[in-house]
């Protein structure tokens, strides 16, 4: 391939964890989510439809272009590019939320989509691909768009999680985790990190050796689900108290 911004052996600045460009990218994602919340009452029916289609197209463009780029530079492998990463699954199935507006899918993606995309944004596995390389821009656009889409469907279109959804989400995610573990054993991959940690610094580094960190990942995942549900729990409790008066 031609053009330094798309080359496999990028000679520009490498990615710096919590460096200036990383912090700016995180602020942009958070800022867009805040704007969606602040202007949540200004969407028309036509605007909501256009937003859903636009977000879906953006997510597919980012995920698809990553697949094409990896193939073009000769880095596409079955061990790393199957849609078995949590954010890849979310990306390819996002029409269930944005186009078909399935409530059961929203409940899963609200918890797992936010957790997966947030962890990816906080500890990206980008190595040498710093800004403005294609991989940097594509990575943060994709994972940021996933979070923005979930926030949009929650605060603008009125979708919301329930406490009863958490056990279902945990069971489904664990079944998928077990499936990925079997795939990893079969083809020598490491989807969802069942076989080992990231080669780059990540939150897993603080959770002990393999397989101990898998247990802590489970507990932390459940804790994060509860934390994500907490605002709605408080809101429901407040509304019940108001209704009793």
């Amino acid at each position: 391939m031609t053009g330094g911004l798309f080359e496999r052996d990028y000679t520009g600045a490498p990615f710096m964890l919590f460096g200036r460009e990383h912090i700016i990218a995180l602020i942009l994602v958070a800022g867009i989510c805040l704007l969606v919340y602040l202007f949540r009452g200004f969407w028309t029916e036509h605007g909501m439809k256009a937003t859903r289609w636009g977000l879906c197209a953006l997510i597919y463009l980012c995920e698809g272009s990553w697949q094409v780029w990896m193939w073009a530079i000769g880095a596409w492998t079955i061990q790393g590019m199957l849609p078995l990463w949590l954010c890849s699954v979310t990306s390819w199935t996002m029409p269930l939320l944005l186009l078909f507006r399935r409530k059961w899918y929203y409940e899963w993606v609200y918890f797992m989509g936010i957790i997966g995309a947030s962890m990816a944004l906080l500890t990206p596995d980008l190595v040498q691909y710093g800004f403005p390389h294609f991989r940097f821009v594509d990575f943060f656009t994709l994972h940021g768009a996933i979070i923005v889409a979930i926030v949009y469907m929650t605060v603008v279109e009125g979708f919301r999680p329930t406490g009863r959804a958490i056990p279902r989400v945990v069971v489904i995610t664990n079944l998928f985790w077990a499936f990925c573990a079997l795939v990893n054993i079969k083809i020598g991959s490491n989807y969802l990190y069942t076989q080992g940690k990231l080669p780059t610094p990540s939150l897993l580094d603080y959770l002990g050796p393999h397989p101990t960190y898998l247990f802590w990942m489970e507990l932390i995942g459940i804790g994060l689900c509860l934390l994500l549900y907490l605002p709605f729990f408080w809101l429901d409790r407040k509304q019940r108290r108001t209704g009793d008066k």
Side-chain angles (χ1 to χ4, degrees):
M1 298 185 69
T2 59
L5 300 184
F6 291 90
E7 289 184 354
R8 178 173 183 170
D9 298 321
Y10 182 54
T11 57
F15 174 76
M16 295 286 292
L17 186 64
F18 297 119
R20 183 182 62 182
E21 290 81 7
H22 187 192
I23 295 295
I24 291 173
L26 295 177
I27 291 174
L28 283 174
V29 174
I32 293 172
C33 290
L34 179 60
L35 289 174
V36 170
Y37 174 76
L38 293 176
F39 292 94
R40 62 191 182 280
F42 288 84
W43 263 269
T44 62
E45 287 295 325
H46 178 75
M48 288 190 287
K49 183 177 181 179
T51 300
R52 292 196 306 270
W53 277 91
L55 284 169
C56 191
L58 178 61
I59 290 170
Y60 263 46
L61 175 64
C62 291
E63 179 69 21
S65 62
W66 176 47
Q67 295 276 342
V68 171
W69 178 72
M70 290 291 283
W71 174 81
I73 66 173
W76 198 101
T77 66
I78 194 174
Q79 286 78 21
M81 296 302 296
L82 293 179
L84 294 179
W85 301 108
L86 194 56
C87 289
S88 290
V89 172
T90 302
S91 298
W92 290 118
T93 57
M94 190 56 78
L96 289 171
L97 175 64
L98 294 175
L99 305 186
F100 301 107
R101 306 176 81 244
R102 296 292 187 260
K103 187 177 186 301
W104 61 266
Y105 177 77
Y106 166 83
E107 290 183 336
W108 182 84
V109 79
Y110 173 81
F111 294 108
M112 290 298 107
I114 290 180
I115 290 173
S118 296
M119 293 301 103
L121 288 172
L122 289 172
T123 56
D125 183 18
L126 293 176
V127 195
Q128 76 268 35
Y129 300 119
F131 182 83
H133 191 273
F134 158 78
R135 182 67 184 120
F136 180 100
V137 176
D138 181 78
F139 182 93
F140 281 99
T141 303
L142 171 63
H143 293 87
I146 290 173
I147 293 179
V148 170
I150 298 167
V151 170
Y152 165 79
M153 293 301 291
T154 303
V155 303
V156 176
E157 303 222 3
F159 283 66
R160 56 151 297 170
T162 65
R164 293 189 299 272
I166 295 177
R168 293 195 294 269
V169 168
V170 171
V171 169
I172 291 171
T173 304
N174 275 277
L175 289 174
F176 179 61
W177 198 6
F179 172 74
C180 288
L182 292 175
V183 171
N184 291 336
I185 294 171
K186 185 70 174 179
I187 68 175
S189 55
N190 191 27
Y191 294 108
L192 297 193
Y193 313 114
T194 67
Q195 301 299 104
K197 299 180 182 180
L198 283 164
T200 54
S202 72
L203 298 178
L204 298 181
D205 295 335
Y206 300 96
L207 304 182
H210 183 277
T212 303
Y213 70 83
L214 298 176
F215 170 76
W216 289 111
M217 282 177 64
E218 177 81 12
L219 290 184
I220 291 172
I222 294 173
L224 289 174
C225 286
L226 294 173
L227 185 63
L228 286 170
Y229 175 64
L230 192 58
F232 298 93
F233 173 80
W234 280 338
L235 180 62
D236 290 344
R237 189 176 180 183
K238 181 179 179 181
Q239 289 175 344
R240 284 196 299 269
R241 287 180 175 178
T242 302
D244 293 338
K245 293 180 179 180

